[in-house]
Amino acid sequence: MSTPATAESPRQENLVDERLVFWYFVAALTYMLISMLGGLLMGLQLLRWNPLPLSEYLSPGRWRMVHTNAIAYGFLANGFLGMMHWVVPRLSLRPVLDKRLSLFIFAAWQVVVLSTAVGLLLGEAQGLEWGETPVWIDPLAQAGLLLVAINFGYPIIKVKGPMYVTLWYFLAALVWTFLTYAMGNFVPQYAVTGTAAGAVGGLFIHDLVGLFVTPMGWGMMYYFVPILLKRPMWSHGLSLVGFWGLAFFYPLQGIHHFLYTPIPMFLQYGAVLSTIALEFVVLTVIINFVGTLKGTGMLCLSNLPLRYFYTGITFYFLTCLQCALQTTMTFQALIHFTDWVVGHAHMVMFGVFSMWILGMMTYLVPRLLKTDWYSEEWCYWHYWASAGGLTLMAGDLILGGLFQGWSWAALQPWDKSITVSHPFWAVRIVAGLLMFLAQVLLSYNLYKTWQKSPLRLGDETLTNVVPATT
Amino acid sequence: MSTNQPNSRIPLWTWIVGAAVLIPTILGFANKFLDLIIIAQGDEEGAFALTPMINYLLATAGFFCMLMYAVTQGAFHDINAPSHSMFENELELDRRSAKP
Ligand code: HEM
């Protein structure tokens, strides 16, 4: 980035719409709570207890889709959009294209997510994994993604000279998300059928994680970690290796979700190879973050947002380690269709990306509301209950998955594997409740912090204060 | 912001590593591409494999254009400079916000 901070440099209040960032966070947390309720309902159903048996609209199968969709489009998307409203203008030193457009996008996105939830409960799901958004919402969501790309893309492409890696990640994510959504929701619905549609579905599921969530998440880390550590990244060059590696190797990986299917073997092997290549890329990213920490490791423990970030990085490393196993055909034969995969999914979505978003909120909320957290102790409780609950849930499901796989491999009757699974599913509920309560506590803490905020109380003298970070 | 002029001479080991990575990759890719053509031509059922492959090739072509754009923007000249300038800008923005 060549724009230097000169005397004419813009100020924070002209760059960032802090109110909007806060609204996005509130929306994100609301959907997180809704999604977790859905997860709990589905989890209880697997234990043969449906707490809401009276209405088909509340059947667990529908709640399961609400669970995943509310997390992806409600929590993650809102969290990332709020974060981008803070990060992009500060990095590019330019506001987004149009602040009114930002408000419109915020409102429109909430309509999209709410209609998705209602559509799913009414039984209008599209028959595509992760693309269950009813078909009539797809064009709206697609238009919304286009507006998002234009609004944030403008300040990014205005940057002259070499760009900081975060902006590369965001620029790419804006384009990729738009294209990935179109590919996953329209191509299998209208253009291709059968196994080809399956292959495209595989690309879609994985690209949603790899080309939307991953670049947003890493872009965010490359911004916040150096700022909190008060030193630049260990190697910006290495971070660019990570970015371009992701760009070239990721799109071919989706088919690793469909090993042992009728998809031609050369495509399956291609997916395996590109997964292995990406493992090396991921290693460079992790080395870079560990290198940046060199000499300041204890900050990871004493600074709470950093603790979230590095916990997420550790989980990221673990999920990639799992991937290295999962992508071998031998191991895949054991764990395919088992709860191992569900454990892996929770570890990456909650352990990594949600922990990052929650850490980012822990850091930004005092700056947005111009006051310290109502209770810092509750922030610590939130961290421990979230990280502890997730460790329990992921460990439990991963182990349970192995038992299921062994039960099937031994050709035991199907219901034997269900009996084996029950204790693991019961532990999942305990872990899930812990994670849920953690988010309730965070939401209540946020509410109480907002109540004492000088912004709400109209105390203008305090609104320029930058509170100490937790 | 670093003002060091980048060294324009590429060290020998860069070429060696580059060759060690690129030659097998290009050979592997060409081989797989031939596989694809044979499947697409010979086996009617196999033609569906074209969909994800074409998706991938299009996406990669896009990334390649982006990479070339990055090269023209000087992204690989003084490779660590953006990291330092981002940091200075951040400090400056915070200093300005702290002032009433
Ligand atoms: C209260 C806590 C939670 C509970 C009880 C819970 C429970 C569940 C259940 C029962 C399923 C369906 C598994 C199956 O089909 O066999 C599921 C799937 C899933 N959940 Fe959760 N969940 C919780 C929190 C979360 C969070 C916070 C995230 C993301 C940030 C998440 C992401 C996912 C994903 C991605 C899947 C799909 C997994 C797959 O299809 O392989 N869950 N969850």
Side-chain angles (χ1 to χ4, degrees):
Chain A
M1 256 177 328
S2 60
T3 323
T6 60
E8 300 84 43
S9 294
R11 294 169 65 103
Q12 161 81 356
E13 48 275 27
N14 305 329
L15 287 176
V16 178
D17 187 344
E18 297 189 353
R19 193 184 36 156
L20 190 58
V21 179
F22 183 68
W23 287 354
Y24 268 116
F25 290 175
V26 172
L29 281 177
T30 311
Y31 289 118
M32 169 70 109
L33 293 176
I34 295 175
S35 162
M36 283 184 151
L37 278 178
L40 283 168
L41 274 179
M42 179 64 200
L44 288 172
Q45 162 72 23
L46 288 172
L47 289 173
R48 299 206 187 100
W49 181 52
N50 178 6
L52 304 169
L54 294 179
S55 163
E56 65 176 290
Y57 300 119
L58 300 174
S59 76
R62 295 182 187 182
W63 270 105
R64 188 205 190 277
M65 289 184 279
V66 172
H67 175 56
T68 46
N69 280 271
I71 275 298
Y73 305 116
F75 174 69
L76 294 176
N78 274 315
F80 283 141
L81 283 169
M83 173 274 296
M84 282 179 85
H85 271 288
W86 178 278
V87 175
V88 171
R90 283 180 72 99
L91 276 182
S92 62
L93 297 178
R94 283 173 190 82
V96 290
L97 176 65
D98 191 325
K99 290 193 176 175
R100 284 161 309 175
L101 182 59
S102 302
L103 292 177
F104 174 74
I105 292 173
F106 173 78
W109 194 250
Q110 308 321 314
V111 171
V112 165
V113 183
L114 277 175
S115 333
T116 301
V118 172
L120 293 177
L121 291 178
L122 290 177
E124 296 201 12
Q126 190 177 356
L128 285 167
E129 197 181 351
W130 283 102
E132 293 96 350
T133 29
V135 276
W136 47 272
I137 299 175
D138 287 340
L140 288 179
Q142 196 69 55
L145 290 172
L146 182 65
L147 292 180
V148 170
I150 293 172
N151 206 24
F152 287 115
Y154 174 78
I156 300 181
I157 53 174
K158 281 278 173 188
V159 171
K160 297 275 182 302
M163 279 199 305
Y164 186 56
V165 65
T166 296
L167 290 179
W168 274 116
Y169 271 111
F170 288 171
L171 186 63
L174 292 172
V175 180
W176 289 337
T177 311
F178 179 79
L179 293 178
T180 301
Y181 194 88
M183 172 188 76
N185 284 274
F186 298 108
V187 175
Q189 181 75 23
Y190 303 109
V192 294
T193 51
T195 323
V200 174
L203 279 182
F204 170 62
I205 303 171
H206 211 86
D207 287 359
L208 209 57
V209 178
L211 301 182
F212 159 55
V213 183
T214 304
M216 288 287 180
W218 279 121
M220 177 167 97
M221 283 302 96
Y222 279 115
Y223 173 79
F224 284 105
V225 166
I227 284 173
L228 285 174
L229 283 175
K230 300 189 173 52
R231 52 159 70 170
M233 284 306 293
W234 183 56
S235 163
H236 189 252
L238 205 56
S239 64
L240 290 178
V241 171
F243 171 73
W244 291 105
L246 185 86
F248 283 104
F249 291 124
Y250 219 99
L252 202 59
Q253 291 202 34
I255 288 167
H256 71 197
H257 287 264
F258 293 125
L259 300 183
Y260 289 117
T261 59
I263 291 175
M265 280 322 280
F266 83 93
L267 279 179
Q268 298 189 30
Y269 285 131
V272 170
L273 281 179
S274 87
T275 308
I276 295 168
L278 199 78
E279 291 283 334
F280 288 108
V281 174
V282 162
L283 213 60
T284 64
V285 176
I286 290 175
I287 289 173
N288 207 357
F289 276 91
V290 175
T292 309
L293 202 58
K294 204 168 152 227
T296 57
M298 291 314 279
L299 264 182
C300 251
L301 301 178
S302 57
N303 180 304
L304 191 57
L306 268 178
R307 200 195 285 183
Y308 279 94
F309 295 160
Y310 275 87
T311 307
I313 291 173
T314 311
F315 278 126
Y316 195 83
F317 175 72
L318 290 177
T319 51
C320 290
L321 210 63
Q322 273 191 303
C323 277
L325 294 174
Q326 283 162 205
T327 201
T328 60
M329 302 295 264
T330 11
F331 201 72
Q332 187 64 222
L334 177 67
I335 53 115
H336 205 97
F337 291 133
T338 70
D339 271 330
W340 169 290
V341 182
V342 183
H344 173 72
H346 283 91
M347 188 142 89
V348 74
M349 292 300 245
F350 189 82
V352 182
F353 297 109
S354 305
M355 286 301 271
W356 286 350
I357 291 181
L358 294 168
M360 178 266 297
M361 287 180 183
T362 308
Y363 170 65
L364 280 189
V365 162
R367 300 194 58 160
L368 295 172
L369 294 182
K370 317 289 177 203
T371 180
D372 289 330
W373 277 98
Y374 172 75
S375 165
E376 273 197 21
E377 204 185 328
W378 288 357
C379 290
Y380 281 88
W381 276 102
H382 173 254
Y383 169 83
W384 282 112
S386 299
L390 182 269
T391 310
L392 180 61
M393 181 186 277
D396 167 67
L397 290 173
I398 288 166
L399 196 63
L402 287 178
F403 280 96
Q404 290 162 352
W406 283 322
S407 157
W408 297 338
L411 299 180
Q412 288 185 332
W414 165 259
D415 45 328
K416 277 259 162 42
S417 68
I418 302 287
T419 316
V420 166
S421 307
H422 263 238
F424 295 100
W425 289 342
V427 172
R428 167 181 35 207
I429 295 295
V430 176
L433 274 174
L434 192 61
M435 285 156 67
F436 179 68
L437 289 177
Q439 310 321 311
V440 173
L441 184 65
L442 175 72
S443 309
Y444 186 59
N445 204 1
L446 185 69
Y447 170 68
K448 296 298 279 182
T449 310
W450 172 76
Q451 270 195 325
K452 77 180 178 90
S453 162
L455 294 180
R456 191 184 83 92
L457 300 172
D459 188 345
E460 292 295 326
T461 54
L462 287 176
T463 49
N464 279 323
V465 173
V466 180
T469 47
T470 313
Chain B
M1 215 181 306
S2 163
T3 50
N4 288 349
Q5 278 302 310
N7 188 350
S8 56
R9 265 199 65 213
I10 299 173
L12 182 65
W13 64 265
T14 309
W15 290 108
I16 296 174
V17 173
V21 171
L22 283 178
I23 293 172
T25 317
I26 292 170
L27 286 178
F29 183 80
N31 195 18
K32 288 291 153 204
F33 197 67
L34 279 179
D35 263 1
L36 174 74
I37 293 173
I38 291 166
I39 285 204
Q41 284 176 343
D43 179 358
E44 227 176 77
E45 300 266 304
F48 73 77
L50 281 174
T51 319
M53 284 308 292
I54 287 172
N55 264 338
Y56 175 70
L57 290 178
L58 282 177
T60 310
F63 299 140
F64 192 72
C65 294
M66 219 161 95
L67 181 65
M68 290 300 114
Y69 169 75
V71 172
T72 59
Q73 292 291 300
F76 302 102
H77 275 229
D78 189 356
I79 210 158
N80 278 321
S83 191
H84 294 282
S85 57
M86 119 25 168
F87 205 67
E88 286 159 17
N89 288 344
E90 273 296 316
L91 293 178
E92 181 60 27
L93 269 174
D94 278 350
R95 257 195 300 275
R96 285 163 175 275
S97 309
K99 282 184 210 147

